Amino acid sequence: MDAQNLTARLKSSGLLRSQALIGGKWIDAYDGKTIKVHNPATGEVITEVPCMGSKETNDAISSSYDAFYSWSKRTAAERSRHLRKWYDLLIAHREELGQLITLEQGKPLTEAMGEVTYGANFIEFFSEEAKRVYGDIIPSPLADRRLLVLKQPVGVVGAITPWNFPLAMITRKVGPALACGCTVIIKPSEFTPLTALAAAELALQAGIPPGAVNVVMGNASDIGDALLASPQVRKITFTGSTAVGKKLMAGASATVKKISLELGGNAPCIVFDDADIDVAVKGALGAKFRNSGQTCVCANRIIVQEGIYEKFADAFSKAVQNLKVGDGFSEGVAQGPLINEAALHKVESFVQDALSKGAKVLLGGKRHSLGRTFYEPTVLSDVKSEMLISREEVFGPVAPLLRFKTEEEAIRMANDTNAGLAAYIFTNNVQRSWRVTEALEYGLVGVNEGLISTEVAPFGGIKQSGLGREGSKYGIDEYLELKYMCLGNMTGN
Ligand code: NAP
């Protein structure tokens, strides 16, 4: 696909925006500064967007604060209708949004279109949940009193999101926030602001009022600090690295804000001797290589029982060898580029560390001949728990294979990390699947399945992988406050 033609077409569709959105108006940075947005597959500049800081963020906070009073007073049915309209528009523009994701993020177009459906589904789901924010009536211990619990929106929300899912990480925050009456300031990653801006344009078209959804981007720490400092911002919801999440958690304490954190993972994928090998290979492949290994739920350690290790390593390497690497717009491509040079260097250094400590390359192990940030899909064997690649997220297309003997050892190895987001197990033993799931210190467990994310199930981590849950009926609670109301003198006339 010709990138220039595509950019021109996206511009004429009105979905390629190069200004930020504050109070319903598209605006530049106040000092005119911009950031270039690149196509990671080619290095070409797609467009420039405003490089904003605290002044613009404070204005976005004010507009969000003003909008909160009217948006939160609308009926749940009205908010639901606007969200449903937004969902319909996202789906109607699925192709353009998918193209934008591939253009700025690099993932293959089919995967990008899948993200649009997944991302839009959060808006549909929460358009329905908007109508189900029920309160409670508590049996009173005193005859003359009636006790009630009201659920009310927390207020203005700052939503800070990463580059690896430029749409879905936004919709799973903004969907529940708007559904219950909150208003939002979105801060997308500087690498992928275009999908966020397109989604915001469609939110305006859906009749979501000016100020209810704002998008600012630029100097991340200035924007973050302004959101943290403002007493008008009542909640921060963040998806990204554990290091930045910890900073935000500390910063939120000054104004005692609510905070939800979706942070990094270090997912174990345990393959037992009794697994169906085809199911395990397919599951591990999906869990590891989706988005070129750049997801928080990517299998980071494939832990294989000794009886099936050689057979699995062979079948898995053959499957990985079939993954076509290239520009996400090319037919049949399953692996796009890494997001940037820093990501490439991280992958290289982790592989070097593993090799220097005794790991072996079964496949790949180097930069791809396409150059830029393309890396060969890689399988390493003889990986040990103490290697860097087992300790931290590699966030790239490298599958390290580790060996274990007993179920107890596999559980110990899997839990030997500060992360606790996703885990996968492959076994045909039903009792074992329950036993191991219960023993794993993780927020999500896939049994005989590598792709487990859906808007209807709670997504989130334990330990240092985060706080709170997104999606599902539980996700909306993160944006609600409980208010206890005591009605006295209820026995009088
Ligand atoms: P990141 O560097 O932490 O960035 C995430 C967001 O935070 C970006 O918008 C970034 O802005 C912003 N940011 C950076 N420094 C900030 C600061 N001091 N104050 C406020 N905001 C700040 O993470 P990433 O590299 O984009 O994303 C990859 C990480 O996200 C991985 O660790 C992955 O596991 C995690 N992740 C977790 C989940 C989950 O659900 N648990 C889902 C997806 C990804 P700029 O990009 O503009 O600098």
Side-chain angles (χ1 to χ4, degrees):
M1 193 173 297
D2 180 323
Q4 269 179 346
N5 271 345
L6 176 63
T7 310
R9 262 195 292 128
L10 287 167
K11 264 198 185 126
S12 69
S13 74
L15 288 184
L16 203 163
R17 316 273 344 179
S18 47
Q19 288 177 302
L21 181 66
I22 298 180
K25 296 201 172 66
W26 294 101
I27 60 163
D28 294 320
Y30 297 161
D31 61 5
K33 278 196 189 146
T34 57
I35 337 170
K36 292 184 170 69
V37 184
H38 293 94
N39 174 345
T42 62
E44 281 160 9
V45 175
I46 307 163
T47 187
E48 295 185 26
V49 294
C51 181
M52 296 179 149
S54 53
K55 284 191 186 133
E56 295 88 344
T57 307
N58 285 331
D59 286 347
I61 294 169
S62 299
S63 88
S64 217
Y65 191 71
D66 293 344
F68 176 71
Y69 280 94
S70 51
W71 180 247
S72 59
K73 297 281 181 300
R74 299 214 186 181
T75 64
E78 275 179 86
R79 289 196 300 269
S80 169
R81 276 195 293 277
H82 285 300
L83 283 170
R84 175 70 208 196
K85 178 91 177 110
W86 191 17
Y87 164 76
D88 289 341
L89 287 168
L90 290 166
I91 292 299
H93 293 281
R94 184 169 175 259
E95 196 172 334
E96 294 106 306
L97 291 167
Q99 289 166 343
L100 267 177
I101 292 174
T102 298
L103 206 54
E104 64 176 348
Q105 200 273 341
K107 67 178 69 171
L109 188 58
T110 43
E111 233 181 284
M113 305 265 279
E115 181 183 340
V116 179
T117 305
Y118 173 56
N121 285 349
F122 285 99
I123 303 300
E124 183 192 41
F125 182 84
F126 285 107
S127 75
E128 295 154 357
E129 286 302 287
K131 295 180 270 183
R132 299 190 189 105
V133 180
Y134 304 117
D136 273 316
I137 299 174
I138 299 173
S140 174
L142 297 171
D144 69 338
R145 295 193 185 182
R146 298 293 178 269
L147 315 184
L148 297 94
V149 178
L150 315 182
K151 289 188 181 173
Q152 295 184 308
V154 293
V156 174
V157 174
I160 304 176
T161 56
W163 49 265
N164 61 347
F165 288 91
L167 181 69
M169 297 303 101
I170 291 175
T171 53
R172 70 184 192 183
K173 298 177 186 316
V174 178
L178 290 178
C180 63
C182 296
T183 53
V184 189
I185 298 130
I186 302 166
K187 204 307 264 165
S189 166
E190 62 176 305
F191 302 116
T192 57
L194 303 179
T195 310
L197 294 171
E201 161 64 27
L202 295 174
L204 287 180
Q205 288 180 23
I208 292 170
V213 174
N214 301 277
V215 186
V216 293
M217 70 221 69
N219 187 320
S221 56
D222 286 358
I223 295 171
D225 289 349
L227 290 171
L228 289 171
S230 169
Q232 291 180 331
V233 175
R234 295 307 316 140
K235 176 176 174 96
I236 296 288
T237 170
F238 172 76
T239 298
S241 62
T242 306
V244 173
K246 285 179 182 176
K247 270 192 211 161
L248 294 172
M249 192 171 176
S253 68
T255 50
V256 194
K257 291 187 205 315
K258 272 182 174 276
I259 187 153
S260 299
L261 301 170
E262 294 285 354
L263 309 178
N266 179 2
C269 173
I270 309 173
V271 182
F272 287 96
D273 281 347
D274 59 21
D276 177 320
I277 191 130
D278 294 336
V279 170
V281 167
K282 182 168 173 271
L285 195 73
K288 173 67 248 183
F289 287 96
R290 181 169 164 228
N291 201 3
S292 300
Q294 302 173 111
T295 87
C296 53
V297 291
C298 271
N300 203 52
R301 297 168 288 156
I302 303 182
I303 305 174
V304 191
Q305 202 161 10
E306 57 183 1
I308 202 176
Y309 187 91
E310 306 300 339
K311 206 168 151 199
F312 177 86
D314 189 47
F316 184 67
S317 301
K318 284 198 179 103
V320 176
Q321 200 157 21
N322 288 332
L323 296 173
K324 188 173 163 194
V325 181
D327 187 319
F329 285 111
S330 304
E331 196 60 33
V333 160
Q335 296 286 287
L338 294 176
I339 189 71
N340 55 26
E341 280 284 324
L344 182 70
H345 290 305
K346 181 177 181 189
V347 169
E348 285 187 313
S349 69
F350 278 31
V351 170
Q352 266 323 307
D353 174 80
L355 298 183
S356 72
K357 292 175 181 157
K360 295 189 181 65
V361 173
L362 293 186
L363 189 75
K366 58 183 190 307
R367 290 180 183 214
H368 195 276
S369 57
L370 283 170
R372 301 204 53 76
T373 58
F374 289 97
Y375 196 84
E376 290 186 359
T378 294
V379 183
L380 302 180
S381 70
D382 299 280
V383 172
K384 300 283 182 300
S385 290
E386 58 278 12
M387 297 174 183
L388 205 49
I389 205 155
S390 303
R391 315 287 332 149
E392 291 176 32
E393 284 178 308
V394 61
F395 237 59
V398 181
L401 305 187
L402 293 85
R403 196 186 291 260
F404 74 92
K405 284 193 173 71
T406 64
E407 185 179 300
E408 294 67 34
E409 186 188 8
I411 293 168
R412 191 166 31 76
M413 287 166 78
N415 288 341
D416 180 21
T417 170
N418 287 329
L421 186 56
Y424 307 90
I425 59 179
F426 290 89
T427 175
N428 273 339
N429 177 326
V430 177
Q431 289 90 337
R432 167 174 277 159
S433 68
W434 275 97
R435 207 165 50 233
V436 177
T437 298
E438 286 170 6
L440 287 171
E441 297 165 352
Y442 287 84
L444 329 165
V445 180
V447 180
N448 295 324
E449 181 53 62
L451 301 175
I452 58 176
S453 304
T454 156
E455 72 283 1
V456 303
F459 187 103
I462 62 171
K463 291 158 90 176
Q464 294 185 26
S465 285
L467 290 176
R469 292 294 179 269
E470 293 192 323
S472 80
K473 64 174 182 173
Y474 306 103
I476 206 159
D477 293 342
E478 307 283 332
Y479 298 90
L480 291 167
E481 294 281 14
L482 296 184
K483 183 178 283 173
Y484 158 53
M485 180 184 184
C486 174
L487 287 168
N489 191 29
M490 293 297 285
T491 45
N493 289 316

